[in-house]
Amino acid sequence: MSSAQRAEGQLVKQKPVAQKEVATISNGDIDLPVSSADLKSSRAEKLNRSAAAQIINGFALLGICVLAFCIRLFSVVKYESVIHEFDPYFNYRVTGFLTREGFYNLWNWFDEHTWYPLGRVIGGTIYPGLMWTAGVLYNVLHLLNIPIHVQEVCVFLAPLFSAFCALSAYLFVKEIRGQGAGLMAAAFTAVVPSYISRSVAGSFDNEGVAIFALIFVFYLYVKTLNTGSLAWATASAMAYLYMVMSWGGYSFIINLLPIHCLACVFTGRLSHRLYVAYAPLIVMGTIGAAMIPVVGFNAVLMSEHFGAFFAFGVLHGALFIRYVKSVLPAKAYQAAKTLVLTGGVAIIGVLLALITGYVMASPTFGWTGRSLSLLDPTYASKYIPIIASVSEHQPPAWPSYFTDIHVLVLLVPAGLAACFRPLSDASLFLILYGVTAVYFSGVMVRLMLVLAPAACCLGGVAAHEFLLALTRAIRAPNLAPSPVTDASVSLLDTAAAPSPAPKSKGKGKSSAAKAEKAKGKGVTAESMFDFLDTSGKGRIPRDVAWIGLVAATLGLIFYIGHCVWVSAEMYSAPSIVLQTRDPQGGVHVFDDFREAYGWLRFNTDPNCKVASWWDYGYQTTAMANRTVLVDNNTWNNTHIATVGRAMASPEKKAWQIYRDLDTEYVLVVFGGFIGYPSDDINKFLWMVRIGGGVFPDIKEKDYLAQGSYRVDDQAPPALLNCLMYKLSYYRFAEASTMVTGRYGFDRVRNTMIGKTDISLQYFEEVFTSEHWMVRIYRVLDRPNRETKLKNPRRAKPPRRSSSSSRPRSASGAPPK
Amino acid sequence: MRGRATLLACALWLTVTRVQAQKSDVLVILEDQQLKSTHSIFFGHLRQLGYQLDYRSADDKKLQLRDWDSWLYDKVICFAAAVPEFGGAADAQALLEFVDSGRDLLLATDSSASDELRELTAGVGVDLEPQGRAVIDHFSYALQSLTVDHTVVSGQAALAASAVLGGPIEAPVLFRGIGASVAPESELVLKVLTAGSTAISAVPGKPLTEAPTLAGNETTLTAAIQTRNNARVTVCGSIDLFSNEFFRWSPVVVTPGQRVGQSGNRAFATQLAEWTLQDRGRLRVSKVRHVLAGTSETPQRYRIRDQVDFSVDIHEWRKGSWQPFKADDVQLEFVMLHPYLRVNLAHNNKGTFSTRLSVPDVYGVFKFVLNYQRPGYSHLFVSEQAPVRPFKHDEYERFIPAAFPYYASTFSMMGGFFALTLLFLYHKRPLP
């Protein structure tokens, strides 16, 4: 027991009952405060059942883990063991560096292959948790003489951690509502489509381990909350450190915990356990976070973290008031209260003024742009086009809720309601988690990922309660409910899960009365489905219960079916290799990206610089091993704007920009030939917006025809003459007749292009992939000689044939 | 960038080997075989310099510049005007490719220049006037015996061109032929000889009814071009400028009443030819090296605030051998997007230019850039990539004096906490 707890014990005059409950809870994981009289009568039988339940429970968890792992292997089965998308390629490259060069060299890695010529300090700008995890796994495997390639470790890391995530969801919900709900939550988590989308095999992204870390931190926090043990608090601080290391989303935790803390303080749930759970986590977590280079002093300087410190202060204030109240007589307490209130208000006023001054001095009020765009959903589209340009930063469409969490949409509200009855510190936490996650998922489709585990946990609670009530109704009707059945059911029941909150003096009596009442009525009395209570008059008939049970089972089966389908069909495409099915059922594979990167790797100078839109930066450095100007780590807006400006400029100006940046090759992605919609022409308006945000000579309206973006002959001249248009459609018109039979028909925009005779003066086509998806151009050197310069005194253009009948220009004609 | 520097080195090496083979073949394309005798002084001078001249007629059917991929000549002198087309495989395009391969061309023509030649000169940025026009000066012209020909004008050697000509030429340079104009924004064309301020470009013998488009100093008579790959081309609007007659023209009477001794044509023509054929003003750069100061190793990347020794050898081709180049205006830049440092290189009279510079407090991918462009000299361009990294985590100072109060605060707090804990745990409060 910590000193804090001791102090707490002295301060708070707890009821003996409450203390006893605390003691039983810290004994083990599944002990339930069932009244001892019931237990004694059937102890032997219960032990047997309990053991059997534990074994079944273990096998169920094992099955859930295997399922979580296997459902994510569709991508490997359908395609191959390959890294997906964009960011994972960078993570893979960094992991490769880590395994080759070691920990310290990664920390100090200055990478001159990206962001030419600025370079990037990789060690100080990444969240290294994912790479370290993969690196450790790789080294352990090699220590065991399992000679696995680092790419395989990277590919299978995310499925492995989703199994761990399912386990931590089990532990988390078990802490709140017991094993049954935990199992349901684990099963939901294992297959929830939203999480699958980020953790299929090959998707080697931060989120793959971070969601596990998130749930694990929550579990440890709730565990500490329930036990009040400093050991668990330390563990949760360590888990928080891992989370900070892994993902920028740690700021969700550091804001959710204070909200919970404040909610507990202001609803009279202040306890020593809350203190032990919260205060050490904030202190150690902040110190730990500051040691991660990418966070550093942000851990105490950015507004994201201020909420935590505020709650920290409030918690101490509340405890101090309670202490003062306990030592002073009532009268003196009142006097002290007024004194402290006046003084406190003054001090707080000064502090607030200081903090406000500090915050207001920053243009974003001390928040990072990304966080601000969460609080104000319109912020990014107004001020930061680079954040708004990413599709996963858009608000989600309604159907995506159904696609991503399916039946949980229905279960979440029920779960929220279930958490209120009875409300414990832990279930309050789950409620807050669910509510905030719903909000954030509404702002950004990417944060659906944060909602998914919350939905699974809430859904697990709800489904558990529902099924429990139904099965009880089915089993009960023949006889009056015997105490044995009741107790056995309660083994898996969660309503009795530890929720003893030491109440303040005033509320002590009522809570005691409540506890008495609950004891008499049985553990299910406070369940949400009270109205289904088997002993009450409103009990459901057996057949209705059967129907309900079948319906619920069907719903769950549909959920599993949906998840498998989504995993197989929607979320397994690696996006670096594309597949289509032709009407005959054959599969056609488009491997243009790797073809193009391979070309660059083997046909260009190793030191050459390749310009492309930032989406393809990570892939170019990882697969082609060439230097790029900008990449998916969008830390320098100006540099990206420069590339956007070049793409939006006429050929000569663009050539000048690229020459200044020593660029030798320009890579564009073009989908008009085969109908690949996410190509550079469709991304072009973002290039204009981002470029125009920094360079005012690029104006979006110049590229729009009466407010609409079109590439046909109605397109404005600025668009028809810009580099991106030329590079995309160069030689396209002739080629398009081979595919569509129509001269210059773009299959993505479904239109005839506006300019078919495109000639290039400063660029030279060097490579076009099989399906024209990737086109690479060389930036030509300055011409060796000066030809065709503007010369006002030039008499006439030189002609090849002197027999031309063209009349001589007036200035050249001899006077008659 | 390193690739480019290598290329440059290769080009230079080729140049060196080519010169050491000593004065290889020069193709002389003549419109008329008579020019051999009327211009014998000029050609004699070239032979004295050691060149082997291969005279060919402009319409020679066997005229050939290259045999598959290998060039047959290293230099071409072309005295032609009215030929509508060159014979054999040579044409304007072939001659431009010849120049693009780094070889040199001396071209002289006159008022009757054909379209073929016009295309050739336009290809190097010199626009000849239309066929039939000549440079006329009614106020300042050369007289010989009693014939009055206002088309023999005296040109002024531009002061900027003294590097090309090996020094200023005071005597008037006589010129009879066609003028040319050069684009104002041209970077590569150097006007060596321009007409006087009273000259115009018009058809001789015809009355002039409207203002001439090209007149005065704008009229370029001779232009020297050094292309970006250091090939040299000279375009002269007059074949007669190189003739024995103009060489010997004496005494020269420019504008009635003003007498000057000898014409400057001989000096001008021979100097111009020497420059064009790369006998003067040729530089080469070698042994580019940059090392951490005080060591002899070139690290993979420098660290901010490092001291770096940079040195480079520059030699000049003079009197048949490479001599150390001497100049005080060779500069080195340390560039990332824009130059962070620009320093003069000091030389040691042995051709080694060096400096010590300290890397700025900015990390990124820097380049050492030496870009030496002076009129009349070969362009030197060296670019070496040198990434600069920030400090490693263990390269910062471990203890800094300014932080001592914080250390004291930390340790005193640790001690205080320890003491308080002891007090709290082992101090028994007397029961009331």
Side-chain angles (χ1 to χ4, degrees):
Chain A
M1 283 275 162
S2 69
S3 57
Q5 232 171 332
R6 264 180 62 144
E8 187 83 357
Q10 286 175 349
L11 297 178
V12 186
K13 299 200 168 65
Q14 281 180 321
K15 286 188 155 299
V17 181
Q19 274 182 342
K20 191 181 150 200
E21 277 176 1
V22 172
T24 46
I25 289 151
S26 51
N27 276 342
D29 288 340
I30 46 141
D31 49 6
L32 303 160
V34 186
S35 61
S36 49
D38 291 345
L39 278 171
K40 268 179 196 165
S41 60
S42 53
R43 173 165 299 221
E45 187 188 355
K46 209 161 295 163
L47 270 176
N48 279 340
R49 296 183 76 107
S50 161
Q54 288 308 311
I55 289 169
I56 292 170
N57 191 25
F59 275 106
L61 276 180
L62 190 67
I64 287 170
C65 290
V66 172
L67 175 66
F69 189 84
C70 290
I71 199 173
R72 287 165 168 84
L73 299 184
F74 278 110
S75 57
V76 174
V77 175
K78 284 179 72 181
Y79 297 87
E80 57 185 290
S81 172
V82 65
I83 307 277
H84 290 200
E85 303 212 325
F86 305 107
D87 287 23
Y89 270 96
F90 171 75
N91 299 332
Y92 168 54
R93 179 163 167 254
V94 174
T95 309
F97 187 90
L98 174 67
T99 53
R100 276 195 318 276
E101 307 275 337
F103 171 80
Y104 281 103
N105 284 331
L106 173 64
W107 185 0
N108 292 316
W109 187 16
F110 175 70
D111 183 11
E112 62 254 24
H113 283 296
T114 53
W115 290 95
Y116 182 86
L118 306 170
R120 179 181 172 195
V121 185
I122 299 269
T125 56
I126 53 165
Y127 289 99
L130 177 75
M131 298 82 170
W132 287 356
T133 311
V136 166
L137 203 59
Y138 173 86
N139 283 331
V140 166
L141 288 174
H142 277 245
L143 208 66
L144 300 175
N145 287 326
I146 303 175
I148 190 172
H149 191 265
V150 65
Q151 178 172 333
E152 309 307 322
V153 176
C154 295
V155 166
F156 292 105
L157 189 75
L160 182 66
F161 269 75
S162 44
F164 293 163
C165 183
L167 281 184
S168 28
Y170 165 76
L171 293 170
F172 178 46
V173 178
K174 193 184 115 191
E175 258 335 287
I176 299 170
R177 274 299 150 100
Q179 276 179 317
L183 275 180
M184 287 305 289
F188 281 133
T189 311
V191 293
V192 66
S194 173
Y195 184 34
I196 287 180
S197 74
R198 283 319 190 96
S199 61
V200 291
S203 175
F204 183 55
D205 214 343
N206 285 341
E207 288 90 334
V209 299
I211 296 300
F212 153 72
L214 181 83
I215 303 301
F216 198 60
V217 172
F218 288 165
Y219 157 64
L220 289 171
Y221 177 72
V222 168
K223 183 84 185 171
T224 323
L225 205 56
N226 281 342
T227 57
S229 143
L230 252 187
W232 285 113
T234 315
S236 65
M238 291 298 124
Y240 173 70
L241 180 61
Y242 182 71
M243 175 70 193
V244 176
M245 229 158 66
S246 303
W247 197 33
Y250 76 89
S251 56
F252 180 66
I253 298 183
I254 203 68
N255 283 301
L256 180 61
L257 296 188
I259 292 174
H260 177 249
C261 175
L262 289 178
C264 284
V265 168
F266 289 112
T267 55
R269 294 179 163 273
L270 180 60
S271 69
H272 72 280
R273 289 174 291 103
L274 177 67
Y275 185 82
V276 172
Y278 184 76
L281 177 60
I282 294 304
V283 174
M284 295 204 290
T286 303
I287 292 174
M291 290 192 303
I292 307 297
V294 65
V295 180
F297 280 107
N298 281 352
V300 287
L301 291 180
M302 297 305 280
S303 293
E304 277 92 340
H305 307 83
F306 284 178
F309 302 139
F310 176 70
F312 188 72
V314 168
L315 183 64
H316 280 88
L319 285 172
F320 182 71
I321 289 171
R322 182 184 279 188
Y323 171 72
V324 169
K325 206 172 177 180
S326 70
V327 289
L328 286 184
K331 217 168 190 181
Y333 173 72
Q334 285 301 330
K337 200 171 158 188
T338 39
L339 192 72
V340 167
L341 271 184
T342 42
V345 164
I347 292 171
I348 287 172
V350 171
L351 277 181
L352 268 184
L354 283 178
I355 291 175
T356 318
Y358 172 75
V359 165
M360 295 299 275
S362 141
T364 56
F365 306 123
W367 296 82
T368 55
R370 278 166 204 272
S371 304
L372 207 57
S373 64
L374 283 180
L375 298 180
D376 174 8
T378 59
Y379 179 81
S381 55
K382 273 190 287 192
Y383 300 108
I384 325 176
I386 201 145
I387 290 184
S389 78
V390 181
S391 63
E392 63 182 21
H393 290 163
Q394 308 293 336
W398 282 111
S400 71
Y401 278 94
F402 186 74
T403 315
D404 275 355
I405 53 178
H406 197 251
V407 74
L408 298 172
V409 172
L410 298 173
L411 290 177
V412 165
L416 281 176
C419 282
F420 275 103
R421 312 192 56 178
L423 187 64
S424 65
D425 291 353
S427 70
L428 176 64
F429 182 74
L430 183 56
I431 292 165
L432 290 172
Y433 174 32
V435 171
T436 46
V438 166
Y439 168 74
F440 285 129
S441 74
V443 176
M444 263 191 203
V445 67
R446 175 186 187 182
L447 293 178
M448 201 70 124
L449 200 55
V450 175
L451 171 65
C456 291
C457 295
L458 287 169
V461 171
H464 167 69
E465 300 265 341
F466 187 58
L467 290 179
L468 192 65
L470 288 175
T471 44
R472 193 171 289 154
I474 289 166
R475 291 169 72 173
N478 287 341
L479 300 164
S482 74
V484 177
T485 351
D486 219 12
S488 70
V489 164
S490 72
L491 261 177
L492 289 175
D493 190 17
T494 51
S499 64
K503 305 278 160 38
S504 58
K505 236 180 184 178
K507 288 183 182 173
K509 258 180 196 166
S510 68
S511 82
K514 233 180 184 176
E516 293 291 314
K517 215 170 128 196
K519 213 184 265 176
K521 221 180 165 189
V523 274
T524 55
E526 285 201 34
S527 155
M528 182 181 88
F529 299 97
D530 272 353
F531 62 94
L532 302 178
D533 190 357
T534 46
S535 58
K537 52 188 170 186
R539 80 181 191 197
I540 39 173
R542 200 179 193 185
D543 38 3
V544 175
W546 270 115
I547 291 168
L549 193 63
V550 169
T553 315
L554 275 181
L556 295 180
I557 288 173
F558 278 133
Y559 172 72
I560 299 287
H562 170 80
C563 293
V564 171
W565 177 81
V566 164
S567 171
E569 296 297 323
M570 288 173 68
Y571 290 143
S572 288
S575 96
I576 190 109
V577 184
L578 307 176
Q579 258 186 11
T580 55
R581 288 176 194 280
D582 55 24
Q584 285 78 38
V587 174
H588 196 82
V589 176
F590 298 98
D591 206 358
D592 284 37
F593 283 105
R594 290 197 291 182
E595 183 191 349
Y597 294 133
W599 185 88
L600 274 177
R601 190 183 191 101
F602 292 111
N603 293 285
T604 59
D605 182 80
N607 267 323
C608 76
K609 283 86 192 167
V610 180
S612 64
W613 190 233
W614 58 267
D615 295 17
Y616 314 105
Y618 278 164
Q619 292 180 349
T620 310
T621 37
M623 297 177 82
N625 197 20
R626 293 294 175 268
T627 308
V628 294
L629 298 187
V630 293
D631 65 27
N632 310 45
N633 169 265
T634 51
W635 66 273
N636 188 322
N637 195 19
T638 313
H639 215 50
I640 292 183
T642 309
V643 174
R645 180 198 194 195
M647 294 292 191
S649 300
E651 194 186 348
K652 186 175 180 187
K653 200 168 149 197
W655 174 77
Q656 193 59 52
I657 293 172
Y658 283 138
R659 292 271 313 166
D660 290 345
L661 292 168
D662 298 324
T663 309
E664 278 154 71
Y665 295 94
V666 179
L667 180 148
V668 295
V669 172
F670 174 64
F673 191 79
I674 48 143
Y676 169 65
S678 53
D679 66 350
D680 280 348
I681 291 282
N682 275 0
K683 290 173 185 169
F684 180 68
L685 273 193
W686 287 111
M687 302 181 200
V688 172
R689 273 174 209 155
I690 293 168
V694 177
F695 303 102
D697 56 326
I698 305 285
K699 295 183 192 68
E700 189 180 342
K701 66 175 166 48
D702 292 347
Y703 297 87
L704 298 175
Q706 282 102 41
S708 66
Y709 178 60
R710 53 200 306 172
V711 297
D712 57 10
D713 50 5
Q714 304 288 308
L719 177 62
L720 293 180
N721 290 323
C722 77
L723 183 71
M724 178 51 73
Y725 192 92
K726 281 187 159 184
L727 297 189
S728 289
Y729 289 120
Y730 179 65
R731 292 200 309 115
F732 170 67
E734 300 90 64
S736 68
T737 49
M738 293 191 299
V739 189
T740 55
R742 293 158 79 182
Y743 190 74
F745 183 76
D746 185 325
R747 289 176 70 186
V748 171
R749 268 65 58 177
N750 273 326
T751 176
M752 312 295 281
I753 60 174
K755 196 170 168 187
T756 50
D757 54 335
I758 293 168
S759 62
L760 292 171
Q761 200 181 344
Y762 297 93
F763 294 85
E764 173 185 74
E765 183 187 8
V766 288
F767 176 81
T768 293
S769 64
E770 187 186 348
H771 305 97
W772 284 56
M773 278 167 61
V774 185
R775 312 194 69 186
I776 301 174
Y777 292 83
R778 198 164 68 84
V779 182
L780 289 179
D781 220 340
R782 299 178 78 190
N784 188 33
R785 295 170 277 113
E786 286 172 335
T787 50
K788 294 176 189 149
L789 286 183
K790 214 172 129 190
N791 182 5
R793 297 179 199 284
R794 181 182 296 142
K796 65 176 174 95
R799 289 171 299 148
R800 268 204 73 76
S801 162
S802 56
S803 63
S804 163
S805 59
R806 228 167 11 163
R808 293 190 168 181
S809 62
S811 61
K816 290 194 173 143
Chain B
M1 279 306 113
R2 187 163 292 164
R4 190 175 296 173
T6 327
L7 256 178
L8 191 77
C10 283
L12 283 166
W13 179 77
L14 278 175
T15 329
V16 174
T17 49
R18 218 168 64 219
V19 167
Q20 277 161 356
Q22 201 37 264
K23 311 293 182 189
S24 46
D25 279 350
V26 179
L27 172 68
V28 182
I29 302 174
L30 298 175
E31 184 170 19
D32 184 350
Q33 288 295 330
Q34 272 191 347
L35 290 171
K36 236 193 284 188
S37 53
T38 56
H39 290 59
S40 58
I41 301 179
F42 176 69
F43 291 126
H45 182 78
L46 292 187
R47 272 197 299 275
Q48 262 180 13
L49 285 175
Y51 290 105
Q52 312 253 323
L53 304 184
D54 182 9
Y55 298 101
R56 292 297 178 93
S57 168
D59 50 4
D60 188 342
K61 290 280 177 271
K62 289 185 212 155
L63 201 56
Q64 204 181 1
L65 290 174
R66 67 200 290 183
D67 183 25
W68 296 104
D69 259 0
S70 59
W71 295 95
L72 299 175
Y73 306 96
D74 283 333
K75 297 159 203 285
V76 168
I77 295 172
C78 177
F79 285 173
V83 283
E85 269 175 19
F86 291 108
D91 61 1
Q93 204 51 47
L95 280 167
L96 287 177
E97 280 171 23
F98 181 78
V99 170
D100 284 343
S101 73
R103 292 168 168 78
D104 313 311
L105 169 68
L106 173 63
L107 174 74
T109 182
D110 66 21
S111 294
S112 56
S114 66
D115 283 347
E116 182 84 13
L117 290 171
R118 246 163 250 284
E119 188 187 331
L120 178 58
T121 60
V124 292
V126 177
D127 295 310
L128 289 180
E129 282 287 285
Q131 203 169 23
R133 283 200 204 176
V135 180
I136 306 171
D137 194 335
H138 294 298
F139 298 92
S140 169
Y141 45 88
L143 297 173
Q144 194 176 36
S145 58
L146 291 175
T147 51
V148 176
D149 187 356
H150 291 188
T151 60
V152 179
V153 301
S154 90
Q156 296 161 344
L159 207 60
S162 54
V164 172
L165 299 175
I169 292 178
E170 302 291 343
V173 179
L174 300 182
F175 179 96
R176 179 165 62 204
I178 193 165
S181 59
V182 175
E185 65 198 58
S186 167
E187 293 170 7
L188 301 178
V189 181
L190 179 68
K191 298 172 185 175
V192 179
L193 193 69
T194 53
S197 54
T198 48
I200 56 166
S201 171
V203 180
K206 294 248 175 101
L208 204 60
T209 53
E210 46 187 280
T213 51
L214 190 61
N217 291 324
E218 292 298 330
T219 318
T220 305
L221 305 178
T222 303
I225 300 113
Q226 182 162 275
T227 61
R228 293 206 166 89
N229 66 352
N230 284 335
R232 288 172 180 178
V233 181
T234 299
V235 176
C236 180
S238 166
I239 299 178
D240 292 334
L241 188 146
F242 299 90
S243 68
N244 299 351
E245 181 195 3
F246 277 37
F247 278 16
R248 294 190 187 119
W249 197 306
S250 174
V252 181
V253 181
V254 207
T255 55
Q258 190 192 339
R259 268 173 84 98
V260 185
Q262 181 86 15
S263 80
N265 280 35
R266 182 170 186 153
F268 179 80
T270 52
Q271 298 286 3
L272 188 65
E274 277 178 32
W275 180 84
T276 311
L277 302 182
Q278 304 264 16
D279 262 347
R280 197 181 45 254
R282 183 144 58 109
L283 301 178
R284 78 163 183 200
V285 59
S286 56
K287 287 191 191 164
V288 182
R289 56 205 176 273
H290 49 92
V291 295
L292 211 56
T295 66
S296 59
E297 57 156 346
T298 304
Q300 200 177 3
R301 33 183 96 86
Y302 292 102
R303 196 182 65 187
I304 55 173
R305 293 190 240 160
D306 266 349
Q307 297 282 315
V308 179
D309 282 338
F310 180 92
S311 67
V312 62
D313 286 1
I314 304 179
H315 289 91
E316 184 183 10
W317 179 258
R318 207 184 300 135
K319 298 192 184 83
S321 66
W322 288 107
Q323 310 282 342
F325 183 61
K326 288 170 189 165
D328 296 324
D329 57 353
V330 183
Q331 291 186 323
L332 176 75
E333 289 177 343
F334 199 50
V335 181
M336 183 184 74
L337 288 178
H338 57 85
Y340 277 76
L341 298 172
R342 184 181 286 132
V343 289
N344 268 7
L345 292 177
H347 68 92
N348 61 354
N349 285 327
K350 289 176 189 161
T352 303
F353 289 73
S354 60
T355 189
R356 170 169 295 189
L357 47 89
S358 78
V359 176
D361 203 353
V362 177
Y363 56 81
V365 184
F366 279 82
K367 288 180 296 179
F368 290 104
V369 175
L370 189 155
N371 192 2
Y372 189 70
Q373 300 194 6
R374 296 291 179 276
Y377 285 106
S378 316
H379 300 159
L380 296 183
F381 182 80
V382 175
S383 177
E384 286 270 329
Q385 186 167 308
V388 174
R389 65 169 173 82
F391 286 116
K392 286 184 179 171
H393 72 277
D394 54 355
E395 286 174 339
Y396 292 97
E397 261 181 294
R398 176 126 306 187
F399 298 106
I400 49 176
F404 283 148
Y406 299 100
Y407 302 147
S409 136
T410 307
F411 284 109
S412 65
M413 174 158 166
M414 282 159 69
F417 182 76
F418 191 64
L420 186 73
T421 314
L422 281 183
L423 203 70
F424 187 81
L425 288 176
Y426 297 107
H427 170 72
K428 215 165 205 173
R429 188 166 52 174
L431 289 167

